[in-house]
Amino acid sequence: MKKKLKEHIEKLIPLSDDEFTFVLSHFTFEKYKKNDFLIQEGENVNYCYYVLSGLLKLVFNDKNGKQHIVSFAMEDWWESDFSAYFLQTKSKMSLQCIEDTSVYSISHKNYQKLSTELPKMELFFLKKSYSGHIASQNRILSFLTSNAKERYDQLLKQHPVLFQRVPKSLLASYLGVSRETLSRFSL
Amino acid sequence: MKKKLKEHIEKLIPLSDDEFTFVLSHFTFEKYKKNDFLIQEGENVNYCYYVLSGLLKLVFNDKNGKQHIVSFAMEDWWESDFSAYFLQTKSKMSLQCIEDTSVYSISHKNYQKLSTELPKMELFFLKKSYSGHIASQNRILSFLTSNAKERYDQLLKQHPVLFQRVPKSLLASYLGVSRETLSRFSL
DNA sequence: TTATAATTGTGATGTTTGTCACGCGCGAAC
DNA sequence: GTTCGCGCGTGACAAACATCACAATTATAA
Protein backbone atom coordinates (compact mmCIF):
# COMPACT_ATOMS: atom_id res chain seq x y z
CA MET A 1 0.00 0.00 0.00
CA LYS A 2 2.78 2.36 1.01
CA LYS A 3 4.85 0.77 -1.70
CA LYS A 4 2.27 1.75 -4.27
CA LEU A 5 2.58 5.46 -3.54
CA LYS A 6 6.37 5.25 -3.39
CA GLU A 7 6.56 3.56 -6.78
CA HIS A 8 4.10 6.08 -8.15
CA ILE A 9 6.19 9.04 -7.05
CA GLU A 10 9.42 7.43 -8.18
CA LYS A 11 8.12 7.26 -11.74
CA LEU A 12 8.87 10.97 -11.76
CA ILE A 13 11.20 11.68 -8.84
CA PRO A 14 13.85 9.49 -7.17
CA LEU A 15 13.24 9.14 -3.45
CA SER A 16 15.22 7.52 -0.63
CA ASP A 17 13.42 5.41 1.95
CA ASP A 18 13.86 8.10 4.56
CA GLU A 19 12.53 10.75 2.25
CA PHE A 20 9.51 8.63 1.44
CA THR A 21 8.79 8.05 5.12
CA PHE A 22 8.90 11.79 5.53
CA VAL A 23 6.61 12.32 2.55
CA LEU A 24 4.15 9.73 3.80
CA SER A 25 3.92 11.43 7.20
CA HIS A 26 2.07 14.27 5.45
CA PHE A 27 -0.66 11.95 4.16
CA THR A 28 -3.57 10.26 5.86
CA PHE A 29 -4.98 6.89 4.85
CA GLU A 30 -8.77 6.88 4.46
CA LYS A 31 -11.47 4.46 3.42
CA TYR A 32 -14.79 5.39 1.86
CA LYS A 33 -17.88 3.40 0.92
CA LYS A 34 -19.73 3.50 -2.38
CA ASN A 35 -21.73 6.74 -2.74
CA ASP A 36 -19.75 8.49 0.03
CA PHE A 37 -18.67 12.03 -0.72
CA LEU A 38 -15.01 13.07 -0.45
CA ILE A 39 -15.90 16.60 -1.54
CA GLN A 40 -19.31 18.19 -1.28
CA GLU A 41 -20.31 21.02 -3.58
CA GLY A 42 -20.29 24.37 -1.79
CA GLU A 43 -17.86 23.37 0.94
CA ASN A 44 -14.19 24.12 1.48
CA VAL A 45 -11.77 21.74 -0.19
CA ASN A 46 -8.96 20.97 2.20
CA TYR A 47 -7.74 17.73 0.73
CA CYS A 48 -6.25 16.31 -2.41
CA TYR A 49 -6.51 12.55 -2.88
CA TYR A 50 -4.32 9.82 -4.26
CA VAL A 51 -6.49 6.82 -5.12
CA LEU A 52 -5.13 3.47 -3.87
CA SER A 53 -8.10 1.37 -4.91
CA GLY A 54 -11.67 1.95 -6.03
CA LEU A 55 -13.21 4.52 -8.31
CA LEU A 56 -14.33 8.13 -7.96
CA LYS A 57 -16.29 10.60 -10.04
CA LEU A 58 -15.76 14.35 -10.11
CA VAL A 59 -19.17 15.87 -10.80
CA PHE A 60 -20.51 19.27 -11.71
CA ASN A 61 -24.24 19.83 -11.17
CA ASP A 62 -25.68 22.44 -13.50
CA LYS A 63 -28.54 24.85 -12.76
CA ASN A 64 -31.05 22.37 -14.20
CA GLY A 65 -29.97 19.70 -11.74
CA LYS A 66 -28.23 17.67 -14.42
CA GLN A 67 -24.95 16.06 -13.41
CA HIS A 68 -21.86 16.25 -15.61
CA ILE A 69 -18.84 14.00 -15.13
CA VAL A 70 -15.72 16.16 -15.27
CA SER A 71 -13.46 13.25 -14.54
CA PHE A 72 -13.18 9.73 -13.26
CA ALA A 73 -10.38 8.80 -10.86
CA MET A 74 -9.12 5.25 -10.69
CA GLU A 75 -6.19 3.54 -8.98
CA ASP A 76 -3.03 5.63 -9.15
CA TRP A 77 -4.84 8.86 -10.03
CA TRP A 78 -4.79 12.15 -8.12
CA GLU A 79 -8.04 14.00 -7.75
CA SER A 80 -9.59 17.00 -6.08
CA ASP A 81 -11.46 20.14 -7.06
CA PHE A 82 -8.10 21.72 -7.84
CA SER A 83 -9.56 25.14 -8.38
CA ALA A 84 -11.03 25.18 -4.88
CA TYR A 85 -8.06 23.34 -3.35
CA PHE A 86 -5.34 25.65 -4.64
CA LEU A 87 -7.26 28.91 -4.55
CA GLN A 88 -8.88 27.97 -1.22
CA THR A 89 -12.39 28.74 -2.34
CA LYS A 90 -15.68 26.83 -2.05
CA SER A 91 -16.07 23.82 -4.29
CA LYS A 92 -18.24 24.04 -7.39
CA MET A 93 -18.03 20.29 -7.86
CA SER A 94 -18.39 17.17 -5.77
CA LEU A 95 -16.16 14.12 -5.57
CA GLN A 96 -18.03 10.90 -4.90
CA CYS A 97 -17.33 7.17 -4.75
CA ILE A 98 -18.60 4.95 -7.55
CA GLU A 99 -17.07 2.00 -5.69
CA ASP A 100 -15.66 1.45 -2.20
CA THR A 101 -12.44 3.44 -2.32
CA SER A 102 -9.29 3.86 -0.27
CA VAL A 103 -7.06 6.91 -0.66
CA TYR A 104 -4.15 8.82 0.73
CA SER A 105 -5.25 12.37 1.40
CA ILE A 106 -3.06 15.41 1.88
CA SER A 107 -4.31 18.64 3.39
CA HIS A 108 -3.49 21.94 1.73
CA LYS A 109 -1.34 22.93 4.68
CA ASN A 110 0.63 19.71 4.56
CA TYR A 111 0.96 20.09 0.84
CA GLN A 112 2.56 23.50 1.30
CA LYS A 113 4.69 22.26 4.16
CA LEU A 114 5.91 19.29 2.15
CA SER A 115 6.68 21.41 -0.91
CA THR A 116 8.81 23.72 1.19
CA GLU A 117 10.60 21.09 3.22
CA LEU A 118 11.32 18.78 0.33
CA PRO A 119 11.62 20.85 -2.87
CA LYS A 120 11.81 17.83 -5.10
CA MET A 121 8.20 17.11 -4.13
CA GLU A 122 7.28 20.51 -5.48
CA LEU A 123 8.78 19.34 -8.75
CA PHE A 124 6.69 16.19 -8.51
CA PHE A 125 3.49 18.18 -8.07
CA LEU A 126 4.54 20.44 -10.92
CA LYS A 127 4.98 17.48 -13.22
CA LYS A 128 1.62 16.08 -12.14
CA SER A 129 0.07 19.44 -12.88
CA TYR A 130 1.57 19.49 -16.39
CA SER A 131 0.19 16.05 -17.05
CA GLY A 132 -3.22 17.16 -15.90
CA HIS A 133 -3.13 20.20 -18.13
CA ILE A 134 -2.03 18.16 -21.12
CA ALA A 135 -4.72 15.55 -20.46
CA SER A 136 -7.37 18.27 -20.28
CA GLN A 137 -6.15 19.76 -23.52
CA ASN A 138 -6.44 16.38 -25.19
CA ARG A 139 -9.99 16.06 -23.95
CA ILE A 140 -10.79 19.50 -25.37
CA LEU A 141 -9.29 18.37 -28.66
CA SER A 142 -11.52 15.33 -28.69
CA PHE A 143 -14.54 17.62 -28.39
CA LEU A 144 -13.25 19.81 -31.21
CA THR A 145 -12.25 17.07 -33.63
CA SER A 146 -14.60 14.20 -32.94
CA ASN A 147 -18.30 13.46 -32.89
CA ALA A 148 -20.02 11.47 -30.15
CA LYS A 149 -19.42 8.06 -31.72
CA GLU A 150 -15.72 8.79 -32.22
CA ARG A 151 -15.33 10.00 -28.63
CA TYR A 152 -17.07 6.82 -27.50
CA ASP A 153 -14.61 4.68 -29.48
CA GLN A 154 -11.61 6.63 -28.15
CA LEU A 155 -12.73 6.15 -24.55
CA LEU A 156 -13.39 2.45 -25.15
CA LYS A 157 -9.89 2.08 -26.52
CA GLN A 158 -8.16 4.15 -23.82
CA HIS A 159 -10.04 2.95 -20.74
CA PRO A 160 -11.96 -0.24 -21.55
CA VAL A 161 -12.11 -1.03 -17.84
CA LEU A 162 -14.48 1.91 -17.28
CA PHE A 163 -17.11 0.19 -19.43
CA GLN A 164 -17.18 -2.68 -16.96
CA ARG A 165 -17.06 -0.67 -13.77
CA VAL A 166 -19.20 2.40 -14.53
CA PRO A 167 -22.92 2.67 -15.45
CA LYS A 168 -23.42 3.68 -19.07
CA SER A 169 -25.33 6.77 -18.02
CA LEU A 170 -22.18 8.10 -16.32
CA LEU A 171 -20.04 7.33 -19.34
CA ALA A 172 -22.58 9.21 -21.46
CA SER A 173 -22.32 12.16 -19.10
CA TYR A 174 -18.53 12.08 -19.30
CA LEU A 175 -18.64 12.03 -23.10
CA GLY A 176 -21.21 14.81 -23.30
CA VAL A 177 -23.85 12.68 -25.00
CA SER A 178 -27.27 11.40 -23.97
CA ARG A 179 -27.64 8.00 -22.38
CA GLU A 180 -29.85 6.83 -25.22
CA THR A 181 -27.46 7.89 -27.97
CA LEU A 182 -24.57 6.16 -26.23
CA SER A 183 -26.66 3.03 -25.85
CA ARG A 184 -27.17 2.93 -29.62
CA PHE A 185 -23.39 3.09 -30.21
CA SER A 186 -22.76 -0.26 -28.55
CA LEU A 187 -24.60 -2.13 -31.32
CA MET B 1 8.22 46.13 -21.57
CA LYS B 2 10.44 44.59 -18.93
CA LYS B 3 8.15 46.14 -16.37
CA LYS B 4 5.24 44.23 -17.85
CA LEU B 5 6.79 40.85 -17.22
CA LYS B 6 7.94 41.85 -13.76
CA GLU B 7 4.46 42.99 -12.77
CA HIS B 8 3.02 39.83 -14.27
CA ILE B 9 5.28 37.57 -12.21
CA GLU B 10 4.76 39.64 -9.08
CA LYS B 11 1.04 38.97 -9.20
CA LEU B 12 2.01 35.53 -7.93
CA ILE B 13 5.55 35.79 -6.55
CA PRO B 14 7.38 38.72 -4.92
CA LEU B 15 10.61 39.51 -6.73
CA SER B 16 13.47 41.92 -5.98
CA ASP B 17 14.94 44.00 -8.79
CA ASP B 18 18.07 41.91 -8.79
CA GLU B 19 16.10 38.72 -8.92
CA PHE B 20 14.05 40.00 -11.82
CA THR B 21 17.16 40.98 -13.75
CA PHE B 22 18.39 37.47 -13.19
CA VAL B 23 15.07 36.02 -14.34
CA LEU B 24 15.01 38.19 -17.43
CA SER B 25 18.49 37.05 -18.45
CA HIS B 26 16.95 33.65 -19.19
CA PHE B 27 14.50 35.12 -21.69
CA THR B 28 14.91 36.39 -25.23
CA PHE B 29 12.87 39.19 -26.74
CA GLU B 30 11.44 38.36 -30.16
CA LYS B 31 9.19 39.98 -32.72
CA TYR B 32 7.00 38.14 -35.21
CA LYS B 33 4.83 39.26 -38.13
CA LYS B 34 1.25 38.27 -38.85
CA ASN B 35 1.06 34.66 -40.10
CA ASP B 36 4.56 33.81 -38.83
CA PHE B 37 4.92 30.49 -37.04
CA LEU B 38 6.42 30.29 -33.55
CA ILE B 39 5.91 26.54 -33.50
CA GLN B 40 5.54 24.32 -36.54
CA GLU B 41 3.70 21.01 -36.31
CA GLY B 42 6.10 18.06 -36.34
CA GLU B 43 9.13 19.97 -35.07
CA ASN B 44 10.81 20.10 -31.69
CA VAL B 45 9.41 22.63 -29.27
CA ASN B 46 12.28 24.35 -27.50
CA TYR B 47 10.54 27.50 -26.39
CA CYS B 48 7.72 28.69 -24.22
CA TYR B 49 6.40 32.19 -24.89
CA TYR B 50 5.14 35.08 -22.81
CA VAL B 51 3.08 37.39 -25.04
CA LEU B 52 3.90 41.09 -24.66
CA SER B 53 1.66 42.32 -27.44
CA GLY B 54 -0.24 40.86 -30.35
CA LEU B 55 -2.26 37.69 -30.69
CA LEU B 56 -1.47 34.02 -31.31
CA LYS B 57 -3.44 30.91 -32.13
CA LEU B 58 -2.57 27.39 -31.02
CA VAL B 59 -3.83 25.11 -33.78
CA PHE B 60 -4.32 21.40 -34.22
CA ASN B 61 -4.74 20.14 -37.81
CA ASP B 62 -6.76 16.94 -38.02
CA LYS B 63 -6.37 14.14 -40.55
CA ASN B 64 -8.93 15.78 -42.85
CA GLY B 65 -6.90 18.97 -43.03
CA LYS B 66 -9.34 20.87 -40.85
CA GLN B 67 -7.82 23.30 -38.35
CA HIS B 68 -8.99 23.41 -34.74
CA ILE B 69 -8.18 26.27 -32.39
CA VAL B 70 -6.99 24.81 -29.10
CA SER B 71 -6.31 28.22 -27.65
CA PHE B 72 -5.80 31.91 -28.32
CA ALA B 73 -2.94 33.75 -26.60
CA MET B 74 -3.20 37.46 -25.99
CA GLU B 75 -1.15 39.98 -24.06
CA ASP B 76 0.02 38.60 -20.72
CA TRP B 77 -0.62 34.97 -21.65
CA TRP B 78 1.88 32.11 -21.70
CA GLU B 79 1.72 29.70 -24.58
CA SER B 80 3.48 26.74 -26.11
CA ASP B 81 2.73 23.19 -27.07
CA PHE B 82 3.25 22.24 -23.44
CA SER B 83 3.06 18.56 -24.10
CA ALA B 84 5.95 18.75 -26.57
CA TYR B 85 7.82 21.38 -24.54
CA PHE B 86 7.85 19.54 -21.24
CA LEU B 87 8.09 16.01 -22.56
CA GLN B 88 10.56 17.10 -25.26
CA THR B 89 8.70 15.42 -28.10
CA LYS B 90 7.65 16.61 -31.56
CA SER B 91 4.81 19.09 -31.69
CA LYS B 92 1.34 17.94 -32.71
CA MET B 93 0.18 21.53 -32.95
CA SER B 94 1.37 24.79 -34.43
CA LEU B 95 1.55 28.24 -32.87
CA GLN B 96 0.96 31.07 -35.32
CA CYS B 97 0.50 34.84 -35.27
CA ILE B 98 -2.95 36.26 -35.91
CA GLU B 99 -1.42 39.73 -35.50
CA ASP B 100 2.13 41.11 -35.37
CA THR B 101 3.32 39.84 -32.01
CA SER B 102 6.22 40.41 -29.63
CA VAL B 103 7.13 37.89 -26.96
CA TYR B 104 9.66 36.86 -24.36
CA SER B 105 10.73 33.31 -25.09
CA ILE B 106 12.43 30.91 -22.71
CA SER B 107 14.17 27.75 -23.86
CA HIS B 108 13.53 24.50 -22.07
CA LYS B 109 17.11 24.44 -20.84
CA ASN B 110 16.87 27.95 -19.46
CA TYR B 111 13.55 27.07 -17.92
CA GLN B 112 15.13 24.17 -16.06
CA LYS B 113 18.14 26.27 -15.13
CA LEU B 114 15.98 29.08 -13.81
CA SER B 115 13.77 26.71 -11.82
CA THR B 116 16.82 25.24 -10.13
CA GLU B 117 18.66 28.47 -9.49
CA LEU B 118 15.67 30.40 -8.24
CA PRO B 119 13.19 27.96 -6.66
CA LYS B 120 10.52 30.59 -6.26
CA MET B 121 10.27 30.68 -10.04
CA GLU B 122 9.47 27.00 -9.98
CA LEU B 123 6.59 27.92 -7.73
CA PHE B 124 5.55 30.57 -10.22
CA PHE B 125 5.50 28.04 -13.07
CA LEU B 126 3.62 25.63 -10.86
CA LYS B 127 0.94 28.22 -10.15
CA LYS B 128 0.72 29.03 -13.86
CA SER B 129 0.31 25.36 -14.59
CA TYR B 130 -2.54 25.08 -12.06
CA SER B 131 -4.29 28.00 -13.68
CA GLY B 132 -3.93 26.40 -17.07
CA HIS B 133 -5.33 23.14 -15.82
CA ILE B 134 -8.26 24.89 -14.16
CA ALA B 135 -8.96 26.93 -17.30
CA SER B 136 -8.95 23.79 -19.42
CA GLN B 137 -11.32 22.09 -17.02
CA ASN B 138 -13.69 25.02 -17.30
CA ARG B 139 -13.58 24.78 -21.07
CA ILE B 140 -14.40 21.07 -20.84
CA LEU B 141 -17.30 21.96 -18.57
CA SER B 142 -18.62 24.41 -21.14
CA PHE B 143 -18.67 21.61 -23.69
CA LEU B 144 -20.48 19.32 -21.27
CA THR B 145 -23.06 21.79 -20.01
CA SER B 146 -23.68 24.17 -22.90
CA ASN B 147 -24.80 24.07 -26.50
CA ALA B 148 -23.12 26.07 -29.27
CA LYS B 149 -25.17 29.23 -28.73
CA GLU B 150 -24.47 29.24 -25.00
CA ARG B 151 -20.74 28.72 -25.55
CA TYR B 152 -20.84 31.60 -28.01
CA ASP B 153 -22.48 33.86 -25.42
CA GLN B 154 -19.99 32.83 -22.73
CA LEU B 155 -17.03 33.64 -24.95
CA LEU B 156 -18.56 36.95 -25.95
CA LYS B 157 -18.96 37.81 -22.27
CA GLN B 158 -15.51 36.62 -21.19
CA HIS B 159 -13.40 37.89 -24.07
CA PRO B 160 -15.35 40.45 -26.10
CA VAL B 161 -12.07 41.75 -27.52
CA LEU B 162 -11.59 38.51 -29.46
CA PHE B 163 -14.69 39.30 -31.53
CA GLN B 164 -12.99 42.43 -32.77
CA ARG B 165 -9.54 41.00 -33.37
CA VAL B 166 -10.21 37.50 -34.66
CA PRO B 167 -12.03 36.33 -37.83
CA LYS B 168 -15.33 34.67 -37.04
CA SER B 169 -14.21 31.46 -38.70
CA LEU B 170 -11.48 31.10 -36.07
CA LEU B 171 -13.89 31.81 -33.24
CA ALA B 172 -16.15 29.13 -34.67
CA SER B 173 -13.23 26.70 -34.72
CA TYR B 174 -12.40 27.56 -31.10
CA LEU B 175 -16.00 26.97 -30.03
CA GLY B 176 -16.30 23.71 -31.94
CA VAL B 177 -19.05 24.94 -34.22
CA SER B 178 -19.29 25.59 -37.96
CA ARG B 179 -18.65 29.07 -39.35
CA GLU B 180 -22.19 29.22 -40.71
CA THR B 181 -23.85 28.27 -37.44
CA LEU B 182 -21.82 30.85 -35.54
CA SER B 183 -22.74 33.45 -38.12
CA ARG B 184 -26.42 32.84 -37.44
CA PHE B 185 -25.92 33.43 -33.70
CA SER B 186 -24.90 37.04 -34.14
CA LEU B 187 -28.40 38.04 -35.30
C1' DT C 1 -37.85 -14.24 -1.04
C1' DT C 2 -40.08 -10.34 -2.47
C1' DA C 3 -40.45 -5.75 -3.41
C1' DT C 4 -38.12 -1.86 -4.98
C1' DA C 5 -34.94 0.77 -7.36
C1' DA C 6 -31.43 1.19 -10.89
C1' DT C 7 -29.78 0.22 -15.38
C1' DT C 8 -30.33 -0.57 -20.11
C1' DG C 9 -32.33 -0.98 -24.82
C1' DT C 10 -35.33 0.87 -28.37
C1' DG C 11 -38.95 3.24 -31.18
C1' DA C 12 -40.92 7.74 -32.57
C1' DT C 13 -40.30 12.43 -33.11
C1' DG C 14 -38.30 17.14 -32.84
C1' DT C 15 -34.31 20.17 -32.46
C1' DT C 16 -29.73 21.44 -33.24
C1' DT C 17 -26.05 21.67 -36.05
C1' DG C 18 -23.30 20.59 -40.32
C1' DT C 19 -22.68 20.80 -45.29
C1' DC C 20 -23.12 22.71 -49.78
C1' DA C 21 -23.93 26.49 -52.68
C1' DC C 22 -24.05 31.19 -53.72
C1' DG C 23 -23.48 36.31 -53.54
C1' DC C 24 -21.74 40.50 -51.67
C1' DG C 25 -18.37 43.81 -49.85
C1' DC C 26 -13.86 45.10 -48.74
C1' DG C 27 -8.99 45.44 -48.62
C1' DA C 28 -4.36 44.03 -50.55
C1' DA C 29 -1.38 43.60 -54.39
C1' DC C 30 -0.18 44.60 -58.84
C1' DG D 1 -8.18 51.32 -60.92
C1' DT D 2 -8.65 46.53 -61.47
C1' DT D 3 -8.18 41.98 -59.92
C1' DC D 4 -8.10 38.61 -56.61
C1' DG D 5 -8.68 36.53 -52.28
C1' DC D 6 -10.81 36.62 -47.87
C1' DG D 7 -14.38 37.29 -44.57
C1' DC D 8 -19.09 37.10 -43.84
C1' DG D 9 -23.97 36.26 -44.39
C1' DT D 10 -27.81 33.23 -45.85
C1' DG D 11 -30.96 29.70 -47.99
C1' DA D 12 -31.90 24.68 -48.62
C1' DC D 13 -31.24 20.31 -47.21
C1' DA D 14 -29.13 16.34 -44.64
C1' DA D 15 -27.09 14.30 -40.64
C1' DA D 16 -26.34 14.00 -35.78
C1' DC D 17 -28.17 14.06 -31.59
C1' DA D 18 -31.71 15.00 -27.75
C1' DT D 19 -35.97 14.05 -25.72
C1' DC D 20 -39.96 11.43 -24.44
C1' DA D 21 -42.12 7.16 -23.62
C1' DC D 22 -42.14 2.49 -22.40
C1' DA D 23 -40.54 -2.25 -21.60
C1' DA D 24 -37.28 -5.61 -19.96
C1' DT D 25 -33.63 -6.96 -17.19
C1' DT D 26 -30.59 -6.74 -13.30
C1' DA D 27 -29.07 -5.23 -8.80
C1' DT D 28 -30.28 -4.02 -4.02
C1' DA D 29 -32.51 -3.99 0.26
C1' DA D 30 -36.11 -5.06 3.40
Side-chain angles (χ1 to χ4, degrees):
Chain A
M1 205 169 69
K2 296 179 183 178
K3 205 178 139 199
K4 209 166 176 180
L5 179 57
K6 182 160 191 289
E7 281 170 4
H8 174 77
I9 295 174
E10 285 193 322
K11 278 178 202 163
L12 296 178
I13 306 286
L15 220 54
S16 73
D17 284 354
D18 282 355
E19 281 172 335
F20 178 68
T21 304
F22 178 72
V23 167
L24 196 61
S25 72
H26 293 76
F27 285 83
T28 309
F29 175 76
E30 293 174 2
K31 269 173 172 287
Y32 293 91
K33 293 253 167 220
K34 184 173 173 175
N35 294 326
D36 282 357
F37 284 90
L38 284 75
I39 295 174
Q40 287 258 19
E41 184 189 334
E43 298 186 355
N44 288 322
V45 178
N46 286 315
Y47 297 95
C48 178
Y49 303 94
Y50 169 75
V51 179
L52 281 160
S53 68
L55 184 53
L56 305 172
K57 61 176 179 182
L58 184 65
V59 174
F60 175 80
N61 292 294
D62 70 20
K63 50 186 182 294
N64 306 317
K66 206 168 159 184
Q67 78 164 359
H68 303 272
I69 307 292
V70 177
S71 173
F72 294 109
M74 295 191 283
E75 289 82 3
D76 238 30
W77 293 27
W78 293 81
E79 199 59 271
S80 186
D81 178 339
F82 289 109
S83 175
Y85 181 71
F86 287 124
L87 307 176
Q88 289 286 285
T89 57
K90 304 281 179 189
S91 175
K92 284 170 192 150
M93 303 188 279
S94 60
L95 184 61
Q96 191 178 11
C97 296
I98 296 177
E99 306 171 351
D100 292 359
T101 299
S102 59
V103 300
Y104 279 126
S105 72
I106 182 167
S107 71
H108 192 251
K109 275 191 182 166
N110 272 356
Y111 157 77
Q112 288 183 315
K113 194 162 152 278
L114 180 56
S115 297
T116 310
E117 293 164 334
L118 192 60
K120 63 163 96 167
M121 278 308 288
E122 184 164 61
L123 181 58
F124 172 80
F125 290 122
L126 179 55
K127 291 194 175 188
K128 275 288 145 193
S129 177
Y130 294 157
S131 322
H133 188 180
I134 292 166
S136 294
Q137 219 168 53
N138 284 332
R139 180 126 174 253
I140 289 170
L141 264 176
S142 82
F143 278 110
L144 291 177
T145 62
S146 310
N147 62 23
K149 167 66 170 157
E150 288 163 342
R151 296 202 300 280
Y152 173 91
D153 289 336
Q154 286 162 21
L155 183 62
L156 185 56
K157 197 174 169 186
Q158 271 200 294
H159 299 294
V161 69
L162 283 178
F163 288 73
Q164 289 145 21
R165 295 168 66 178
V166 175
K168 301 295 163 61
S169 58
L170 293 187
L171 293 180
S173 171
Y174 176 82
L175 289 170
V177 74
S178 73
R179 182 189 67 74
E180 294 91 335
T181 297
L182 182 134
S183 170
R184 288 182 247 263
F185 288 155
S186 33
L187 303 180
Chain B
M1 205 171 69
K2 295 178 183 179
K3 205 178 139 198
K4 209 167 176 182
L5 179 57
K6 182 161 192 288
E7 282 171 4
H8 174 78
I9 295 174
E10 286 192 320
K11 279 178 199 160
L12 295 178
I13 306 285
L15 219 53
S16 74
D17 283 354
D18 282 354
E19 282 172 333
F20 177 67
T21 305
F22 178 71
V23 168
L24 196 61
S25 72
H26 293 74
F27 285 84
T28 309
F29 175 76
E30 293 174 3
K31 269 172 172 286
Y32 293 91
K33 295 253 167 221
K34 183 173 172 174
N35 294 327
D36 282 355
F37 285 89
L38 286 75
I39 295 173
Q40 288 259 20
E41 184 188 334
E43 297 186 354
N44 288 321
V45 178
N46 287 314
Y47 297 94
C48 178
Y49 303 94
Y50 169 74
V51 179
L52 282 159
S53 68
L55 184 53
L56 304 172
K57 61 176 179 181
L58 184 65
V59 174
F60 175 80
N61 292 294
D62 69 19
K63 49 186 184 293
N64 307 315
K66 207 166 159 186
Q67 77 164 359
H68 303 273
I69 307 290
V70 177
S71 173
F72 294 109
M74 295 192 282
E75 289 81 5
D76 238 28
W77 292 27
W78 294 81
E79 199 59 87
S80 187
D81 178 340
F82 290 109
S83 174
Y85 181 72
F86 288 124
L87 307 177
Q88 289 287 284
T89 57
K90 305 281 178 190
S91 176
K92 284 171 193 152
M93 303 187 280
S94 61
L95 184 61
Q96 189 178 12
C97 296
I98 296 176
E99 304 171 353
D100 291 359
T101 300
S102 58
V103 301
Y104 279 127
S105 71
I106 182 167
S107 70
H108 191 250
K109 275 193 181 166
N110 271 355
Y111 157 77
Q112 288 182 315
K113 192 163 153 277
L114 180 56
S115 295
T116 310
E117 292 163 335
L118 193 60
K120 63 163 93 164
M121 278 306 290
E122 183 164 62
L123 181 58
F124 172 79
F125 290 122
L126 178 56
K127 289 194 176 187
K128 275 289 146 191
S129 176
Y130 293 157
S131 322
H133 188 180
I134 292 165
S136 294
Q137 216 167 57
N138 284 332
R139 181 126 173 256
I140 289 169
L141 264 176
S142 82
F143 278 109
L144 291 178
T145 62
S146 310
N147 61 23
K149 168 67 169 153
E150 288 163 342
R151 294 201 301 278
Y152 173 91
D153 290 336
Q154 287 162 19
L155 183 63
L156 184 57
K157 197 174 171 188
Q158 271 200 293
H159 300 294
V161 70
L162 283 178
F163 287 73
Q164 290 143 21
R165 295 168 68 178
V166 174
K168 302 295 164 61
S169 58
L170 292 188
L171 294 180
S173 171
Y174 177 82
L175 290 170
V177 74
S178 74
R179 183 189 65 77
E180 294 91 335
T181 298
L182 182 134
S183 172
R184 288 183 244 264
F185 289 154
S186 35
L187 304 180

